[in-house]
């Protein structure tokens, strides 16, 4: 690794996290995280920057700390944390929802984000520097039918972003929330449990955001002058007015 700053990205194996790794590779050494090790290896080989690969499940508290603690000391000074790992699991009325899906969303999107943050933030506090970017969602502000628990998990991310910004203010640590609307990634395939047709239909009839669009915004936020903190970015496809209104005849 050279003397570029270090960014740790969770969920770097696909979608927004992978696109963010590609863009940030120009200006950061990268710690890339995700469960799918083959994808991490491939991305690590592809990127022209220093990389350190950590394969762990963010739900597994012990392993989160073990994995991050296993980093060589020169990799432990993380300047940027992108808390991106997360997904929706299922989309059902509240009375028909599957408690296992609820566990997954709360455990990954909320508790997983907390565990990774706990493993990284104390060193930022010690060094009085750092920037945390939490990937929330429009679902962190709005609730849509059958979105119940996913929306609750992203509302929690919004509260945690605000809490982090308050608590870390004395240490000069910036905290940003990126709140995308519909982005075409593997997100809907995961939500609909591998049903590719149903996943594809979510993005039909309009041009959704791409992972690259979101990654560019993350790069923009991170590259502002030191005194500038962009707190929240709601970003939508042109065709999307809010969580439920999408102009599907717009392409
Ligand atoms: P993808 O499904 O493409 O990516 C999800 C990433 O999260 C993968 O890299 C996956 O890696 C990782 N991940 C999921 N579960 C775990 C876990 N238990 N432990 C470790 N890593 C995990 O979806 P997106 O890129 O779209 O999603 C990224 C973030 O953006 C999420 O937080 C999502 O809620 C948010 N978002 C997405 C929107 C969209 O419309 N796509 C809109 C707004 C927000 P692996 O499976 O290898 O572990
Ligand atoms: C993902 C966007 O609208 O499916 O956070 O909740 S949405």
């Amino acid at each position: 690794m050279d003397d570029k700053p270090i960014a740790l990205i969770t969920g770097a194996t696909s979608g927004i996290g992978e696109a963010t790794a590609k863009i940030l590779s120009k200006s950061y050494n990268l710690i890339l995280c995700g469960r799918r090790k083959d994808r991490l290896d491939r991305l690590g080989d592809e990127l022209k920057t220093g990389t350190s690969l950590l394969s762990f499940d963010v739900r597994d508290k012990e392993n989160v700390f073990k994995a991050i603690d296993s980093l060589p000391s020169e990799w432990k000074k993380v300047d940027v944390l992108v808390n991106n790992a997360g997904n929706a699991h299922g989309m059902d009325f509240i009375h028909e929802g599957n408690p296992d899906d609820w566990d997954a969303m709360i455990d990954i999107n909320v508790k997983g984000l907390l565990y990774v943050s706990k493993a990284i933030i104390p060193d930022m506090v010690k060094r009085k520097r750092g920037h945390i970017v939490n990937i929330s969602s429009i679902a962190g502000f709005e609730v849509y039918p059958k979105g119940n628990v996913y929306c609750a998990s992203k509302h929690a991310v919004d509260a945690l972003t605000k809490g982090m910004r308050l608590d870390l203010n004395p240490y000069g640590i910036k905290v940003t929330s990126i709140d995308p609307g519909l982005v075409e990634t593997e997100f809907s395939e995961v939500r609909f449990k591998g049903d590719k047709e149903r996943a594809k239909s979510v993005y039909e009839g309009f041009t959704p955001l791409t992972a690259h669009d979101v990654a560019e915004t993350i790069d923009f936020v991170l590259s502002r002058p030191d005194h500038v903190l962009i707190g929240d970015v709601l970003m939508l496809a042109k065709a999307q007015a809010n969580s439920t209104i999408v102009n599907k005849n717009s392409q």
Side-chain angles (χ1 to χ4, degrees):
M1 76 192 275
D2 56 22
D3 59 0
K4 290 197 292 272
I6 296 173
L8 183 149
I9 304 170
T10 65
T13 52
S14 72
I16 294 168
E18 182 180 0
T20 302
K22 287 180 179 164
I23 291 192
L24 295 192
S25 67
K26 292 180 197 128
S27 29
Y28 291 86
N29 291 301
L30 294 174
I31 303 168
L32 304 172
C33 309
R35 289 166 302 178
R36 286 168 288 181
K37 194 168 174 316
D38 53 330
R39 291 198 184 199
L40 287 178
D41 289 339
R42 212 180 319 138
L43 187 60
D45 287 345
E46 187 186 321
L47 298 180
K48 291 179 180 42
T49 189
T51 53
S52 194
L53 311 178
L54 294 181
S55 174
F56 60 85
D57 186 327
V58 296
R59 280 174 290 197
D60 185 338
K61 182 163 52 178
E62 217 172 285
N63 257 334
V64 170
F65 293 111
K66 225 200 256 157
I68 293 174
D69 199 47
S70 74
L71 288 166
S73 57
E74 68 271 23
W75 279 98
K76 283 199 168 105
K77 294 185 166 67
V78 174
D79 300 287
V80 167
L81 166 61
V82 183
N83 270 322
N84 165 73
N87 275 117
H89 293 267
M91 194 173 172
D92 302 287
F93 292 120
I94 195 74
H95 54 288
E96 292 171 352
N98 180 339
D100 292 338
D101 287 338
W102 300 349
D103 283 345
M105 290 184 275
I106 304 286
D107 290 350
I108 298 168
N109 303 355
V110 184
K111 290 166 71 181
L113 179 147
L114 277 171
Y115 300 154
V116 174
S117 300
K118 174 68 184 170
I120 298 297
I121 294 174
D123 182 73
M124 289 181 169
V125 167
K126 222 182 281 163
R127 294 190 297 128
K128 292 200 162 86
R129 58 172 289 146
H131 195 155
I132 299 159
V133 179
N134 291 332
I135 310 303
S136 179
S137 168
I138 190 173
F141 305 98
E142 295 182 19
V143 182
Y144 51 87
K146 299 185 178 179
N148 42 64
V149 179
Y150 177 69
C151 295
S153 76
K154 290 300 185 178
H155 276 62
V157 172
D158 182 52
L160 291 172
T161 297
K162 289 172 178 148
M164 287 179 184
R165 200 179 296 135
L166 291 174
D167 294 347
L168 301 176
N169 170 274
Y171 307 100
I173 297 168
K174 299 189 202 181
V175 186
T176 297
S177 181
I178 305 285
D179 318 312
L182 293 158
V183 190
E184 189 164 11
T185 61
E186 293 175 18
F187 178 86
S188 290
E189 269 184 61
V190 174
R191 171 170 249 177
F192 301 129
K193 304 179 192 302
D195 184 339
K196 286 189 197 298
E197 282 312 302
R198 190 170 175 202
K200 212 164 109 218
S201 72
V202 173
Y203 310 106
E204 269 165 9
F206 74 107
T207 305
L209 293 174
T210 64
H212 180 77
D213 296 325
V214 181
E216 278 190 318
T217 303
I218 294 170
D219 186 39
F220 177 81
V221 160
L222 290 173
S223 57
R224 292 312 85 208
D226 187 54
H227 68 285
V228 178
L229 163 58
I230 298 184
D232 258 290
V233 181
L234 172 67
M235 57 182 300
L236 303 172
K238 187 174 75 171
Q240 182 169 19
N242 66 16
S243 279
T244 49
I245 297 179
V246 180
N247 182 356
K248 285 253 182 178
N249 301 309
S250 60
Q251 74 176 15

